[in-house]
Amino acid sequence: VQLQASGGGLVQAGGSLRLSCATSGITFSRATMGWYRQAPGKQRELVATITSGDDKNYTDSVKGRFTISRDNAKRTVNMQMDSLKPEDTAIYYCYAHATRWGRSNLSNYWGQGTQVTVSS
């Protein structure tokens, strides 16, 4: 199973970034996908999730600024981040709650993370 996150970088406050996560090895169309983040000295927190039925949930601090989406044909999950704030600075991790190809049990999978830094 591979979850390859990309799209992080350095941006000024008020700017935008788009994160992408390419996956392999999971039954993507049935998976719940999401993004977590971890800032220095803080616990990892859930940012956004999207179910196989396209239901979306966001943590309160990003509502109205971040948009999660999925492309089942490409097996990717994306997150458009607008109006970025310095407090959004963190490592962002792609997450999947999914079954592996050929398996029936659900498990949690994580990508390697991508750094997002927002300067004031």
Side-chain angles (χ1 to χ4, degrees), residues 17-34:
L17 285 173
R18 182 176 176 85
L19 303 183
S20 292
C21 177
T23 71
S24 64
I26 61 172
T27 307
F28 184 86
S29 62
R30 298 180 183 178
T32 293
M33 302 298 300

Side-chain angles (χ1 to χ4, degrees), residues 37-44 86-91 115-117:
R37 66 186 179 186
Q38 187 166 19
K42 295 187 177 181
Q43 290 188 332
R44 189 174 295 191
E87 50 264 44
D88 294 319
T89 295
I91 298 174
Q115 177 71 47
V116 171
T117 303

Side-chain angles (χ1 to χ4, degrees), residues 35-37 45-49 56-66 79 88 92:
W35 292 92
Y36 280 72
R37 66 186 179 186
E45 67 166 343
L46 176 63
V47 179
T49 59
K56 304 171 186 178
N57 281 286
Y58 301 91
T59 191
D60 286 345
S61 62
V62 309
K63 285 180 181 177
R65 301 188 298 120
F66 291 11
M79 187 162 69
D88 294 319
Y92 284 71

